[in-house]
Amino acid sequence: LLSADLILDEVDNYSPQEMKHLQKLCYLAGLARRNVVCQSATMGHLHAKALLEAFQAGVAASESLTGLPGVLRLVLGSNLAAPRDLLIETAEALPEALRFVDAFNQDCILAQKATTPKVKQRVLDATALDFEALIQEALSLHKENAVALEPDLRASVGFVRFNTVTTARAFAAHLYAKQEVPPDTELSVVCYHSKYSALELSVIDRTLNTLTNRKGLKEADFSNEAVTQFWKPLANLSGKKNLVIIVVTTSILETGRDHDYDWAIVEPNSHRSLVQAAGRVRRHRGAGAGKINLSVIRYPAKALSDGVVAPRNPLSVWSTPGPLTALNRGSLKIAPTNSSYQSVLNLASRDLGNP
C-alpha cells in the first residue's frame, strides 16, 4: 500500500465480518496517502459510510504524523451520470459527503428509469423445485428471445440460477435424464458452479466466454467463434430448428463474469443477487424490444417443507441485504407458526411500510 493504489471490486459482496478487514485496508491506504477505488453496481449507503470513515481516519493520522494537509477528494462516477467530486477537509464533513453520495445515487436511479430497460421480468408462479415448470418457462423464454442464425434455425443461450449447488446439480441431472420438449427443439445443458476443480472451471469459463461474447456485434448476432464452435456443430448433430443452451448455475455467475445471455430464470435470494443476475441479460447489447427475458421464481427452495410451501421465519428464507433485511424486530422476529407463507410476506410488507 505504500507504493500502489487500492481497488476493491464488488464491495457489497463482502460479509459484515469481512468489511472490518476492508476498513483496515482503507485506513492503511489513507495513512499511506494512496487512492482507493470502490466498484459495484449495488453499493449502498452503509458501505460508503464505513469505507469513507476508515479512509478519512487514515488520512487524519497521516496529517498528525507528517504535517501534510489532511484533505481528501471524493470522486463519484457512473455510466448514467457525469462524474462529480467533493473535497473533504475534516471528519466533521463526512455527513455532508454521505449526503453527496446519496444524491448522486438518486440521480443515477432517475437516469436509469428514464432509459429503455434491457431487462423485462415476470414472476413465475412456481417453486424452485418444480423442475417441469422451469423447463417450460425456459422454452417460453427461448421462443420470445431466440436469435435467427438462419431463416429456419433459431438459437438462444440462457441461464437458470439457483441459490445452492445441490439444487443446481439436481436440476441439471433432471434435464439430462428427462427432456420432454417439442420434437424440433434441442436442449443442451451446462452445469456451472463452484464445486468443480480449478481445471474444470477453467474449461467451462473459456467455453462460456466464447459463447456469450456479444461485444461489437449486431443486435441479433452471435460471434463467429460461437457459431462455428457451438451452434453449427449442434445444429448438424441434432438436425433440430430450435437450439437452446441452458446454463444451470449458482451465484458464481453473478460477479466477475462478463457474459451476455438472451434470457434468465432466477431463484430469489437478495436484492443484490437479483440486480447482479439481471446484469448478465443482454449485457453487451442495447435495450430490448420489450420482450420478457427474465423470470423470477415466486418461492425459493428454503420456503418449502417436503416440497410444499410452508410458514417460515422470513429471515431463514431470504439472504441479506434483501427485502426482509430489517425483519429482526417486532411482530416478525418470530414468524407465526400457523400462518401461511403469503401471510408472512404480507406482515413483512406492513412492517417495512412497503404494501
Side-chain angles (χ1 to χ4, degrees), residues 1-22:
L1 285 177
L2 292 175
S3 59
D5 294 332
L6 175 63
I7 300 177
L8 302 174
D9 192 22
E10 304 294 354
V11 172
D12 55 331
N13 199 28
Y14 294 91
S15 68
Q17 291 74 22
E18 292 167 331
M19 279 295 294
K20 294 185 293 186
H21 301 295
L22 295 187

Side-chain angles (χ1 to χ4, degrees), residues 8 12 18-19 22 47 96 133 145 165 174 185 227 258 293 300 353:
L8 302 174
D12 55 331
E18 292 167 331
M19 279 295 294
L22 295 187
H47 302 91
E96 178 188 352
N145 299 281
V165 173
H174 182 84
T185 301
V227 172
D258 189 16
N293 53 14

Side-chain angles (χ1 to χ4, degrees), residues 10 14 22 43 75 82 93 108 140 149 172 179 203 206 212 216 223 235 246 254 258 260 282 291 305 339 350:
E10 304 294 354
Y14 294 91
L22 295 187
M43 184 170 68
V75 180
C108 291
S140 175
L149 297 179
Q179 290 190 11
V203 173
R206 287 201 304 270
T212 63
S223 67
I246 301 179
E254 295 173 0
D258 189 16
D260 181 322
R282 299 186 63 87
K291 298 178 182 179
S305 178
S339 62
R350 188 198 67 191

Side-chain angles (χ1 to χ4, degrees), residues 61-270:
S62 173
E63 180 182 20
S64 300
L65 293 171
T66 65
L68 296 173
V71 179
L72 62 95
R73 182 182 298 273
L74 172 65
V75 180
L76 304 176
S78 169
N79 64 314
L80 296 168
R84 303 178 193 175
D85 69 294
L86 177 71
L87 287 178
I88 303 175
E89 299 184 358
T90 63
E92 286 70 26
L94 285 178
E96 178 188 352
L98 293 173
R99 289 191 293 270
F100 184 73
V101 172
D102 291 340
F104 181 78
N105 287 342
Q106 287 302 314
D107 288 346
C108 291
I109 291 172
L110 292 175
Q112 181 75 63
K113 289 181 177 180
T115 62
T116 304
K118 294 185 178 184
V119 177
K120 187 175 181 180
Q121 65 90 26
R122 66 181 170 217
V123 176
L124 175 61
D125 194 12
T127 73
L129 301 182
D130 189 352
F131 292 164
E132 290 301 323
L134 300 186
I135 293 174
Q136 293 307 313
E137 183 69 0
L139 293 174
S140 175
L141 291 171
H142 162 77
K143 184 177 179 180
E144 296 182 53
N145 299 281
V147 171
L149 297 179
E150 296 176 358
D152 60 345
L153 182 62
R154 303 176 77 245
S156 75
V157 55
F159 67 87
V160 182
R161 203 274 291 145
F162 293 100
N163 292 338
T164 65
V165 173
T166 300
T167 311
R169 283 173 167 168
F171 182 60
H174 182 84
L175 286 172
Y176 282 124
K178 182 182 179 182
Q179 290 190 11
E180 295 182 0
V181 298
D184 67 343
T185 301
E186 177 70 16
L187 282 185
S188 296
V189 183
V190 179
C191 192
Y192 181 43
H193 53 72
S194 59
K195 298 298 184 181
Y196 285 113
S197 67
L199 178 59
E200 290 170 315
L201 279 177
S202 175
V203 173
I204 298 175
D205 281 333
R206 287 201 304 270
T207 299
L208 293 179
N209 288 341
T210 301
L211 179 62
T212 63
N213 181 11
R214 321 285 272 270
K215 295 178 181 177
L217 301 176
K218 294 180 180 179
E219 175 62 24
D221 278 355
F222 284 99
S223 67
N224 291 332
E225 292 83 359
V227 172
T228 56
Q229 293 182 32
F230 304 110
W231 294 119
K232 285 296 185 181
L234 186 59
N236 295 334
L237 183 64
S238 67
K240 306 293 180 65
K241 296 181 178 180
N242 282 286
L243 309 178
V244 189
I245 295 180
I246 301 179
V247 180
V248 183
T249 187
T250 61
S251 58
I252 189 175
L253 194 76
E254 295 173 0
T255 54
R257 304 301 189 275
D258 189 16
H259 298 169
D260 181 322
Y261 294 90
D262 295 301
W263 52 267
I265 300 173
V266 178
E267 181 183 5
N269 185 18
S270 70

